Amino acid sequence: MKKRLLAMTLASALCAGMLAGCGGGTSASGNGGSSADSGSSDAYNISVIVKLTDGHFNKVMAGAKAYADEHDNVNVDIQSPTSATSYDEQVNMIETSLGNPSIDALVLAPLQSNSASTLVANTDKVVIALDTDFTSDKKLAFVGTGNKDAAKSGGTAAVEAAKANGVDKPTVLIVTGVQGDETHEARLAGYKEGVEEAGGEVIEVQYCDGLAEKAATAMESVMQMYPDGIDIVLSSNDDMAMSVVKIIKDSGNVKYADTIVCGFDGNTSAISAIKDGTLGMDIAQLGYDMGYKAVEAAVKALEGEQVDSFIDSGSKVVDSTNCDEYIDDMKAKGLWE
């Protein structure tokens, strides 16, 4: 059977018919794409819905595509809303995939975990949580970073780095995502635990919806609240971390000149910033492995195999000592943008 990566014609048709509801979500397609409805009856048609299109999810999507490319009987249909707050847009995508009888499995990175739980409550399709977990007896597995442990390792490394710079009890600001989002809450908890165990102190937490512009505003406010400086800023994604770095640089505030900023994702911009000395460190998710393993888990379930309830796709703390090694690995996989 000739392998076919499903194009987004189904999602596009929905957008054309319900433009206001669809809201312009993006999608990924491969060579010779076809809609899910035209797939061969003996092929597995898997809908992969991510949170947004960014450096991290580009790697996730590449991994999902790679699995399909390697298996002639697997088609993947990858969709993405236009932003991390396009909730209704993603809901439309989920409902359409669940309502399509030719889709066999849903691999979902939900923008809202509670909404995802409700949406899949009555489905008979295979459901795999991707990147962000949610509670449901319909969900067979969660494939993603062990977010709490990964963040803990980053928090610990940042405090140790600050102490190496001569700070006895480093002060820490955490900028994080949407309040209640399971991924960002897990990272927040991990950061706090790592900081406290390493001998630092979290003095401020700012919820910024995972958005760079909100992190910038929050950082400006924090610099006014703490004029004597903060030793560490821990961010739960790279976009916010890079925004914080820019605000600190543009301010020219010498009290923040030695502030260590740590991102989370492993995006090209963040790793490049570590190499040039702008960003202190980053917690790199292994997004390619995440996407690959999620589709693999869905196929195993469709074939009647048992899958683990949690599949950790891994993470790595990257700083100036190992960023070249990380970049070389990404280039070898074709993932360096």
Side-chain angles (χ1 to χ4, degrees):
M1 180 193 309
K2 182 180 179 182
K3 164 70 191 66
R4 287 168 288 102
L5 177 67
L6 290 179
M8 300 301 130
T9 52
L10 179 63
S12 298
L14 177 67
C15 289
M18 299 188 302
L19 185 59
C22 192
T26 60
S27 59
S29 62
N31 296 329
S34 60
S35 72
D37 288 332
S38 65
S40 300
S41 60
D42 57 346
Y44 295 125
N45 295 322
I46 300 172
S47 177
V48 179
I49 301 176
V50 299
K51 288 184 174 182
L52 72 162
T53 302
D54 64 2
H56 167 60
F57 279 108
N58 282 339
K59 293 182 178 71
V60 172
M61 292 186 286
K65 291 178 185 178
Y67 185 91
D69 286 341
E70 294 173 10
H71 296 80
D72 288 344
N73 65 331
V74 178
N75 302 317
V76 294
D77 174 5
I78 304 175
Q79 302 177 64
S80 170
T82 51
S83 76
T85 54
S86 298
Y87 306 122
D88 291 343
E89 192 177 330
Q90 193 189 58
V91 166
N92 284 336
M93 293 174 178
I94 296 168
E95 290 178 335
T96 300
S97 292
L98 292 175
N100 185 347
S102 69
I103 294 293
D104 302 301
L106 172 65
V107 174
L108 173 63
L111 288 173
Q112 294 177 307
S113 297
N114 290 340
S115 174
S117 301
T118 301
L119 289 166
V120 304
N122 297 315
T123 189
D124 293 324
K125 300 182 189 297
V126 166
V127 176
I128 304 292
L130 168 69
D131 180 77
T132 299
D133 201 5
F134 58 92
T135 302
S136 173
D137 57 5
K138 299 292 185 177
K139 178 200 68 180
L140 295 183
F142 166 53
V143 182
T145 303
N147 284 296
K148 184 177 179 181
D149 288 342
K152 181 178 178 179
S153 67
T156 299
V159 171
E160 290 175 348
K163 285 187 172 182
N165 290 340
V167 182
D168 290 334
K169 190 176 181 65
T171 54
V172 180
L173 160 69
I174 301 175
V175 291
T176 188
V178 177
Q179 190 164 12
D181 177 279
E182 291 194 23
T183 293
H184 289 282
E185 294 291 358
R187 293 176 188 176
L188 173 60
Y191 274 147
K192 286 181 175 179
E193 191 171 306
V195 167
E196 291 167 2
E197 290 186 7
E201 180 185 6
V202 176
I203 61 173
E204 187 76 23
V205 174
Q206 292 281 331
Y207 284 95
C208 304
D209 295 342
L211 301 175
E213 58 268 28
K214 290 190 176 182
T217 300
M219 192 64 205
E220 289 172 338
S221 175
V222 166
M223 292 176 76
Q224 292 178 357
M225 293 164 57
Y226 299 92
D228 291 332
I230 290 177
D231 300 307
I232 298 167
V233 179
L234 302 175
S235 172
S236 62
N237 71 20
D238 281 344
D239 288 345
M240 292 189 295
M242 295 304 296
S243 179
V244 166
V245 165
K246 186 177 187 305
I247 290 298
I248 292 175
K249 180 180 178 180
D250 290 349
S251 74
N253 190 330
V254 295
K255 296 290 188 179
Y256 283 81
D258 296 324
T259 298
I260 296 170
V261 181
C262 176
F264 198 123
D265 276 335
N267 293 345
T268 301
S269 59
I271 303 302
S272 296
I274 292 173
K275 187 173 177 62
D276 67 24
T278 306
L279 184 68
M281 59 184 60
D282 198 77
I283 304 165
Q285 299 190 81
L286 306 183
Y288 182 93
D289 294 342
M290 189 186 298
Y292 189 100
K293 291 180 178 182
V295 177
E296 179 182 53
V299 172
K300 285 183 176 180
L302 288 168
E303 293 182 340
E305 296 183 39
Q306 183 150 0
V307 296
D308 294 334
S309 60
F310 171 54
I311 300 170
D312 191 344
S313 52
S315 65
K316 184 176 186 177
V317 176
V318 180
D319 59 20
S320 60
T321 67
N322 63 354
C323 68
D324 286 335
E325 174 188 340
Y326 180 83
I327 290 170
D328 288 343
D329 181 54
M330 290 297 100
K331 286 181 177 178
K333 292 177 179 176
L335 298 176
W336 189 252
E337 302 170 1

